[in-house]
Amino acid sequence: MADNGSVKETLEVINNMQAEGVIRKYAIGGAVGATFYLEPSATVDLDVFITLPGESAGPLVSLAPVYEHLKAKGGRVQDEYIVIANWPVQFLLPANELERIAIAEAVETEVEGVPTRVMSAEHLVAIALRVGRAKDHSRILQFLEQGAVHREKLQDILEQSGLTSKWREFERRFLEGSR
Amino acid sequence: MSKPKLRTRLAALSFSEKVKILEKLRERSRAIAACGLRQKPSRKRDV
């Protein structure tokens, strides 16, 4: 893997891993996913949500096959990341139905000709709301300010995910008085 | 150009173009971190 890596090279490795059947589907989330819809903001890592072949819904699903595959191809484990083409990648298994649907309904796009998938804006916002750190709230506000979310679709996702009351709380804290 | 206009303009770029900017931002952060220009946190707190 190259020293002077790029997101493009990282995605090529992940696509190969998918083609070889190590992972089933993937979708980019986090700051890089948000960048698909918003202005770019500095980030040090790439969050990749994945499903595995034959994955059961149990809590004991392991990322070991992914790590073993990537280490054999020169990937380097660094804390919770595996560095691929010089980008630290955090592979995340869906922790709930919201994340599972977000992977399934991700948007097809490409980076310099390399096909990839990014979570929808509405799923990114719903996941950020659920995670609820200061930087997640800030990102939600960016999505709203830039009109990057379809409000009805977001409401549907929030209702399906049981996040309606959390959203009301978010609105009360951050949006009341700004309308 | 105003900040909101710049943000809108950046948001309208293609994903490939935005990823290039992300990579440059990351390179810059790493270069700053590597050259030690960041102020180390003081051990003693000012009272």
Side-chain angles (χ1 to χ4, degrees), chain A residues 6-8 32 35-44 86-88 109-112 116 118 142 145-146, chain B residues 4 6-30:
Chain A
S6 64
V7 171
K8 179 191 172 192
V32 178
T35 292
F36 183 63
Y37 304 95
L38 307 172
E39 79 271 19
S41 58
T43 184
V44 293
N86 222 19
W87 268 82
T109 183
E110 60 176 51
V111 173
E112 295 181 78
T116 190
V118 176
Q142 277 181 277
E145 281 166 13
Q146 297 205 11
Chain B
L6 178 64
R7 291 178 71 181
T8 307
R9 200 180 224 191
L10 286 169
L13 294 173
S14 74
F15 194 36
S16 296
E17 288 169 308
K18 290 190 215 181
V19 164
K20 281 279 166 215
I21 296 172
L22 269 187
E23 289 170 345
K24 282 185 183 153
L25 287 171
R26 183 170 169 265
E27 273 169 34
R28 197 176 62 175
S29 300
R30 293 174 75 193

